[in-house]
Amino acid sequence: MTRPQDKLRGWAAARKAILAGLRFTSLRLRLVVVFGLVALTAAVSASGIAYWLNREAVLTRTQDAVLRDFQQEMQNRAGVLPAHPTQGELQHAAGQMAASSQRFSVLLVADDESGRTVVGNSGALNTFSLADVPKSLRTAVGKRQAVTSSNKDPYHLYWQRIIDGDKPYLVAGTKVIGGGPAGYMLKSLEPEEKDLNSLAWSLGIATGLALIGSALLAQAAATTVLKPVHRLGIAARRLGEGKLDTRLRVSGTDELADLSRTFNHTAEALEKRVADMSARDEASRRFVADMSHELRTPLTAITAVTEILEEELDAETGSIDPMIEPAVKLVVSETRRLNSLVENLMEVTRFDAGTARLVLDNVDIADQITACIDARAWLDAVDLDAERGIMSLLDPRRLDVILANLIGNALKHGGSPVRVSVRASDTDLLIEVQDHGPGIPEDVLPHVFDRFYKASASRPRSEGSGLGLSIALENAHIHGGEITAANSPKGGAVFTLRLPRDPSALTEKPAEPDGATSDGEGA
């Protein structure tokens, strides 16, 4: 059963993966987010300004109409009352004033003949009373101001917006000029608040629609911008795969079109440069192949003559002048070396041309190595560690070339005894050739398989052709294997040959892919 801690860890890992996926690693996502933020800022700003302007307009319009009507009613109704009205007269006048088109509540306050304060109200809005009027407003209404050239009236109309029980109200008050009653008005602004709330909802919906529209517009813009970039990426990958004829269709004059043109010019220049290099390389290989082939005919005749001279030397018949005997030996030795060089060059040209083929046979590895050593009289100098019965499918001639080069180099440069060990797994065969010499210098190790590479410039000439290890590596590659060179911690160099035990799949000709094309997508 899964423990709660494991569930929590799993949930945390999933959450972390989701957050990692939401990082702004996608240019498309960044474009959409930026468009959305810009649109949201613009929409919220426009909606806020529109709401504020409409709010002020609605409230100001309602307020002006109510105050104008209230002031008119004060002049028409309260202004005709006696200086000391009764409560009934105030009540009647307040009712008449509240019956106006604006439907507000009215409160009239005056002193009767006995000096007692009497109040009359219209009875609406839960019996509007003097306590509902802010004290500051009552003070301002009752304060008599001096009459001057700039102030012609001793009393003025004052108003204030208040909130009572989460509902907005407009409160106003004034006093009849000449000592009449003071009048107060209470008007509910709830209808206007509902209208403003509806406007706010409408603006909010409009903002949301604008945000969705901006996201869709950003998606369309991102697609327009990123589609050429995507095609350019595909074309670049095809170019990296070696399909140098890849081109982009160019349309327009914008920066992306300029980028596509630059890519096409670069690809064209690269294709031309590679074609020139390939032509020169092919001409070089053809020259080497032709030269090697042309050398074989005269070299065959020379080899026949040197063999006769060598037989005369071995017979010691005295037919060769002792004075020229060293020259004859040098000619024989150099002819053999030249013959080996030509054969190696012919082998290299076959690898370069791709015409080298495997001739597979199921052989016993121990017997194959023993035959290679015995043919070259190396039995006394080589210690073989290989069990008989290890069978592998390979090309015996090419394995012989590999072993001859590796063991020969070990004997020549490392010294005997040379140890050859064989290990096998279900899929691979490993053959190690280890000598007991000084090893290979570290700066030489990366170049030991290079053609004609010499570790020391002071020894430009050697008995070998400089192609042995390179040919051995090519023979390993054609099997699907590899050769590595290293130095043993115990001293000496170690060459490791790895070959697959069944390389038969490499001899099958690969099928051509259907519908292959090298034309790049347009941009």
Side-chain angles (χ1 to χ4, degrees):
M1 183 177 293
T2 305
R3 294 179 297 177
Q5 293 86 348
D6 295 336
K7 291 184 178 180
L8 289 175
R9 282 196 294 268
W11 180 85
R15 180 173 176 269
K16 184 176 181 181
I18 293 173
L19 291 177
L22 293 177
R23 290 176 182 171
F24 291 160
T25 57
S26 169
L27 181 58
R28 182 186 300 273
L29 179 59
R30 291 200 294 268
L31 285 174
V32 172
V33 170
V34 170
F35 267 82
L37 290 176
V38 171
L40 181 62
T41 303
V44 169
S45 300
S47 298
I49 294 173
Y51 177 79
W52 182 80
L53 293 176
N54 279 275
R55 180 179 181 276
E56 290 301 315
V58 169
L59 293 178
T60 301
R61 184 174 63 250
T62 302
Q63 174 182 296
D64 291 345
V66 171
L67 294 178
R68 186 171 54 250
D69 196 8
F70 173 65
Q71 193 170 23
Q72 185 68 33
E73 290 295 327
M74 284 292 293
Q75 293 176 1
N76 295 337
R77 304 293 182 182
V80 298
L81 291 174
H84 300 285
T86 64
Q87 185 175 7
E89 290 174 335
L90 291 177
Q91 195 79 20
H92 178 70
Q96 288 180 330
M97 293 174 64
S100 68
S101 60
Q102 295 299 326
R103 299 296 177 182
F104 44 72
S105 298
V106 178
L107 179 68
L108 296 177
V109 181
D111 295 334
D112 60 9
E113 294 180 350
S114 62
R116 184 172 57 89
T117 300
V118 292
V119 178
N121 60 49
S122 60
L125 289 177
N126 298 324
T127 62
F128 179 35
S129 65
L130 197 59
D132 297 324
V133 180
K135 185 177 180 181
S136 58
L137 183 62
R138 295 199 305 266
T139 303
V141 168
K143 183 178 181 181
R144 182 183 178 88
Q145 299 182 9
V147 177
T148 61
S149 58
S150 60
N151 181 32
K152 298 181 179 180
D153 299 321
Y155 298 102
H156 295 277
L157 176 66
Y158 297 94
W159 59 271
Q160 185 176 346
R161 294 174 191 165
I162 63 173
I163 301 294
D164 187 12
D166 295 332
K167 294 182 180 180
Y169 293 94
L170 174 65
V171 181
T174 187
K175 192 170 184 178
V176 176
I177 300 173
Y184 299 96
M185 176 274 301
L186 181 66
K187 169 67 176 177
S188 174
L189 298 179
E190 190 173 0
E192 286 74 17
E193 183 185 33
K194 291 181 179 179
D195 292 341
L196 292 175
N197 288 338
S198 298
L199 176 63
W201 275 104
S202 300
L203 292 175
I205 293 173
T207 301
L209 293 177
L211 186 59
I212 295 174
S214 68
L216 295 177
L217 181 62
Q219 179 70 14
T223 300
T224 303
V225 173
L226 295 180
K227 190 175 182 180
V229 176
H230 178 67
R231 290 174 174 173
L232 182 62
I234 294 176
R237 283 192 293 272
R238 292 173 67 88
L239 195 66
E241 293 170 357
K243 300 174 183 177
L244 302 181
D245 57 344
T246 301
R247 299 292 185 273
L248 292 170
R249 290 193 299 271
V250 182
S251 60
T253 58
D254 57 7
E255 290 80 359
L256 291 174
D258 291 340
L259 181 61
S260 299
R261 291 190 188 93
T262 303
F263 174 85
N264 287 342
H265 294 159
T266 303
E268 183 178 358
L270 180 62
E271 183 181 21
K272 185 176 182 301
R273 181 66 60 85
V274 171
D276 292 343
M277 293 177 63
S278 298
R280 287 195 295 268
D281 190 50
E282 179 62 27
S284 236
R285 287 199 300 265
R286 188 166 53 250
F287 171 75
V288 172
D290 293 344
M291 181 189 67
S292 302
H293 180 74
E294 293 298 328
L295 283 175
R296 293 188 71 177
T297 301
L299 189 57
T300 301
I302 295 174
T303 301
V305 173
T306 56
E307 287 178 352
I308 294 174
L309 292 175
E310 187 177 17
E311 290 176 358
E312 290 294 331
L313 288 174
D314 292 340
E316 296 180 356
T317 59
S319 58
I320 298 179
D321 189 342
M323 297 294 296
I324 64 171
E325 185 174 334
V328 172
K329 291 182 179 180
L330 179 62
V331 169
V332 172
S333 174
E334 291 301 313
T335 301
R336 287 176 178 172
R337 183 174 181 275
L338 182 60
N339 200 11
S340 174
L341 177 61
V342 170
E343 290 297 330
N344 286 338
L345 286 174
M346 293 293 292
E347 185 72 7
V348 167
T349 57
R350 282 191 288 270
F351 282 119
D352 290 343
T355 57
R357 295 291 180 265
L358 290 175
V359 181
L360 299 178
D361 191 12
N362 198 25
V363 298
D364 187 306
I365 300 301
D367 291 344
Q368 187 70 22
I369 298 175
T370 301
C372 173
I373 297 173
D374 187 35
R376 293 162 180 82
W378 292 340
L379 287 175
D380 294 336
V382 176
D383 181 13
L384 177 60
D385 179 15
E387 296 181 1
R388 295 189 179 276
I390 300 177
M391 308 299 293
S392 183
L393 188 65
L394 46 78
D395 189 327
R397 184 185 70 84
R398 296 188 183 279
L399 178 61
D400 183 77
V401 171
I402 296 172
L403 294 174
N405 276 289
L406 296 182
I407 299 174
N409 275 324
L411 291 172
K412 185 186 305 180
H413 302 293
S416 60
V418 172
R419 179 179 176 82
V420 180
S421 58
V422 179
R423 298 192 306 275
S425 65
D426 293 337
T427 57
D428 291 333
L429 175 70
L430 291 178
I431 301 177
E432 286 188 355
V433 178
Q434 181 178 0
D435 60 44
H436 292 80
I440 305 173
E442 292 297 329
D443 59 331
V444 175
L445 273 176
H447 307 287
V448 292
F449 297 104
D450 294 350
R451 296 175 183 177
F452 300 109
Y453 179 78
K454 295 183 182 298
S456 175
S458 63
R459 296 189 298 108
R461 181 174 178 82
S462 61
E463 295 181 4
S465 63
L467 295 172
L469 288 178
S470 174
I471 292 175
L473 182 63
E474 294 290 348
N475 279 304
H477 286 170
I478 199 174
H479 280 87
E482 186 63 68
I483 302 177
T484 58
N487 288 317
S488 174
K490 299 179 180 179
V494 180
F495 285 82
T496 304
L497 169 65
R498 184 194 61 81
L499 296 176
R501 298 191 69 174
D502 185 6
S504 56
L506 299 175
T507 61
E508 300 175 1
K509 185 178 180 179
E512 294 292 334
D514 295 334
T517 177
S518 59
D519 293 333
E521 293 290 338

